[in-house]
């Protein structure tokens, strides 16, 4: 800005100076010309006077007459009158001795006068060593001889008046220049303030500060410009705030989404990416805007699908297995978007479907196992019924045997269907309405009481180790019952003789209940798997005792449903101990 104002001042001063100089030069030259013309007029008149004088005065008095005339006509003796003969010799001169003067025929004014005109010339006189203006014309002496009458006056007057004119011009120029300087400075100060404010404002706006205002008012052009810049800044500020809000909304929506969202341009460079992508693809996504999709996710399948969508504009859905060991599967849907040539691209919406996939596998396996388990007793029952129908029913002893077997298999079928239903119920979420507070030891004693007769019949002893204080739990009594009936049933089933011990331990925030036995125990390699559905270490023994292979699975789900956990310790041939921990009721 400074340089513009400086240039503006310099330009205005130069223009003022040029115009003063031009007008001064023109005035001086006009003035000089005027002076010269008036001098020429004067000399013209004087030559006429000298011409008439020489016609009247005899030759011998010529010199005195010329001297007298010069004194009379000239002011302060500045006029010089000369009479020059036709051959160039000087007959008389008012300022010098005519005899000592050289031939004047070569003088320009004489040469011009010889042609019949009035000749004018200006030069430095050799005779008197001053600059003179000369005028000469032809004249005739009294005796009829031809001659030239010449009048001369010093140029000093003309030159001094020119000097004076120049001096006054310079003084006037200096005053004009000073006045112009003051005017230019005042006007530039007047312009500089609003220009500075407008420039500062536009600098702030271009730096992103849209709250900047010019503060320039008034009815002049700057005021109009200031107001229109202010309203422009206001509308930009409003639009930017709106865009920011919209962008924040989109960012918040994307941040809150569980699905990963990636938006890429037509060159597969990332425009937008949300945080969920990091978790789904297990990659670092921060600062990945502008980077190629492949370099961030390193998934050739996804890259290829995006290519295909960008090529034909048809949406695609692919499943990508990102971690075969952990079984991580991602479902990616890719849609095109077109907002004009430069804005086209694709949106990738990704979701981790590993859990779904695993559940699908579990469900499929469960259906396979369940139908297999169901098929066996059904086939056996069918076989017995067919045999009976074929005539065996007529044999009373065979009928009895078959009916006992039918009873056993149908009971197994019933147990199986009941356990399947129990497992399904166990997998449902717990409802606070089902929960009630009770003493774990008291309820455990009730559970065990149904086994008493059976245990003694098998030669087993039941031992209890309960704390003196009640150990309160808050959960469904029915679920508690089902957990411990299953565990005690297993302990009895897999223990031929010895002890089944029920223990309740109460800590500050948890109640731990264990069911231990001195039975067959579980081989180390099977311990991890006993909670799986239909998993049985010894299938025939389990079946023999009416086991379905779902008991521990039901225990695990019911325990976890109420915030607890179950674990097992076992040694083959020595016995097993199942421990269940629940959060204590407050
Ligand atoms: P089941 O109906 O066969 O008892 P469970 O799911 O209750 O099915 O148990 C799964 C398997 O775990 C059993 O078949 C058995 O091999 C093993 N098991 C469970 N409890 C005991 C135990 N107390 N002693 C030894 N093995 C056990």
């Amino acid at each position: 800005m400074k340089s513009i104002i400086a240039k503006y001042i310099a330009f205005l001063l130069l223009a003022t100076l040029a115009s003063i100089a031009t007008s001064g030069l023109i005035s001086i030259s006009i003035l000089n010309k005027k002076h010269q013309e008036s001098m020429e007029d004067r000399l013209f008149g004087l030559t006429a006077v000298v011409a008439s004088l020489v016609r009247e005065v005899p030759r011998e008095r010529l010199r005195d007459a010329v001297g007298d005339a010069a004194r009379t006509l000239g002011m302060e003796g500045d006029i010089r009158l000369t009479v020059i003969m036709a051959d160039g010799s000087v007959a008389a001169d008012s300022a010098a001795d005519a005899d000592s003067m050289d031939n004047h025929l070569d003088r320009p004014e004489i040469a011009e006068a010889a042609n019949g005109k009035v000749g004018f010339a200006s030069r430095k006189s050799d005779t008197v060593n001053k600059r003179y203006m000369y005028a000469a014309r032809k004249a005739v002496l009294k005796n009829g001889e031809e001659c030239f009458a010449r009048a001369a006056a010093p140029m000093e007057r003309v030159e001094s008046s020119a000097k004076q004119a120049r001096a006054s011009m310079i003084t006037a120029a200096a005053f004009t220049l000073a006045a112009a300087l003051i005017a230019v400075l005042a006007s530039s100060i007047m312009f500089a303030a609003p220009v500075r404010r407008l420039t500062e404002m536009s600098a702030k706006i271009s730096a992103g500060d849209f709250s900047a205002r010019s503060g320039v008012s008034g009815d002049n052009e700057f005021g109009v410009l200031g107001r229109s810049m202010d309203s422009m800044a206001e509308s930009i500020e409003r639009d930017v705030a709106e865009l920011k809000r919209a962008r924040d909304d989109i960012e918040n929506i994307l941040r809150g989404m569980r699905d990963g969202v990636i938006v890429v341009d037509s060159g597969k460079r990332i425009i937008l990416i949300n945080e969920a992508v990091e978790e789904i693809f297990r990659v670092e996504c921060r600062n990945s805007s502008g980077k190629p999709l492949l370099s961030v996710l390193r998934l050739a399948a996804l890259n290829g699908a995006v290519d295909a969508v960008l090529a034909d504009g048809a949406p695609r859905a692919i499943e990508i297995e990102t971690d075969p060991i952990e079984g991580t599967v991602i479902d990616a849907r890719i849609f095109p978007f077109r907002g004009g040539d430069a804005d086209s691209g694709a949106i990738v919406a990704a979701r981790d479907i590993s859990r779904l996939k695993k559940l699908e596998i579990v469900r499929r396996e469960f259906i396979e196992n369940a139908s297999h388990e169901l098929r066996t007793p059904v086939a056996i029952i069918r076989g017995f019924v067919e045999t009976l129908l074929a005539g065996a029913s007529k044999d009373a002893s065979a009928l009895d045997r078959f009916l006992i077997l039918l009873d056993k298999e149908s009971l197994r079928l019933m147990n199986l269907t009941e356990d399947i239903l129990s497992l399904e119920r166990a997998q449902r979420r717990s409802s606070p309405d089902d929960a009630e507070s009770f003493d774990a030891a008291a309820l455990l004693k009730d559970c065990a009481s149904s086994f008493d007769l059976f245990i003694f019949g098998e030669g087993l002893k039941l031992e209890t180790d309960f704390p003196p204080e009640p150990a309160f739990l808050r959960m469904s009594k029915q679920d508690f019952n089902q957990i411990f009936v299953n565990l005690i049933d297993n302990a009895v089933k897999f223990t031929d003789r010895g002890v089944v011990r029920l223990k309740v331990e109460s800590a500050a925030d948890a109640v731990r209940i264990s069911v231990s036995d001195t039975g067959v125990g579980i081989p180390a390699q099977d311990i991890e798997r006993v909670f799986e559905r239909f998993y049985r270490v010894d299938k025939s023994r389990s079946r023999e005792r009416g086991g379905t292979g779902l008991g521990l699975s039901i225990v695990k789900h019911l325990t976890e449903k109420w915030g607890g956990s179950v674990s097992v310790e076992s040694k083959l041939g020595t016995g097993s101990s199942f421990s269940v921990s629940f959060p204590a009721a407050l």
Side-chain angles (χ1 to χ4, degrees), residues 419 486-487 489-495 517 519-522 530-532 535-538 542-543 546-553 570 575-576 578:
D419 274 3
N486 267 306
L487 291 177
D489 183 47
N490 277 351
V492 171
K493 251 185 339 202
F494 297 101
T495 310
D517 62 60
V520 295
I522 304 164
V530 289
F531 293 101
E532 287 177 19
Y535 191 83
R536 282 167 287 202
V537 177
D538 182 347
S542 165
R543 268 221 192 95
T548 59
L550 291 175
L552 286 182
S553 194
S570 184
S576 313
F578 287 82

Side-chain angles (χ1 to χ4, degrees), residues 387-458:
T387 314
L388 287 172
L389 286 176
S393 60
K394 294 194 176 86
D395 176 348
S397 70
L399 181 65
D400 274 358
R401 216 174 62 245
F402 279 125
L403 283 176
I404 289 167
L405 288 170
L406 275 173
D407 178 53
K408 195 177 162 196
E409 288 308 319
S410 61
L411 189 71
R412 201 148 81 89
L413 204 56
M414 202 178 79
N415 284 345
L416 201 58
T417 48
E418 261 172 19
D419 274 3
I420 289 173
L421 284 173
S422 293
L423 183 64
E424 200 280 323
R425 268 199 303 274
Q427 283 171 332
R428 283 193 214 147
R429 274 167 194 260
S430 64
S431 153
D433 296 344
D434 300 338
E436 43 190 319
S437 295
F438 54 87
D439 174 20
L443 205 63
L444 196 60
K445 210 179 271 174
D446 285 351
C447 282
S449 62
S450 57
F451 289 90
D452 271 358
L453 269 178
F454 190 52
I455 291 168
F456 288 121
E458 293 280 311

Side-chain angles (χ1 to χ4, degrees), residues 465-502:
D465 181 359
F466 295 159
E469 299 297 319
F472 282 109
L473 287 181
R474 183 162 177 78
M475 62 182 286
S476 152
K477 274 185 174 177
Q478 195 192 341
D479 289 350
F480 182 91
N481 223 47
Q482 196 165 5
I483 291 167
F484 291 101
V485 164
N486 267 306
L487 291 177
I488 298 168
D489 183 47
N490 277 351
V492 171
K493 251 185 339 202
F494 297 101
T495 310
D496 292 331
R497 54 187 63 254
V499 184
V500 172
R501 182 176 291 111
L502 307 179

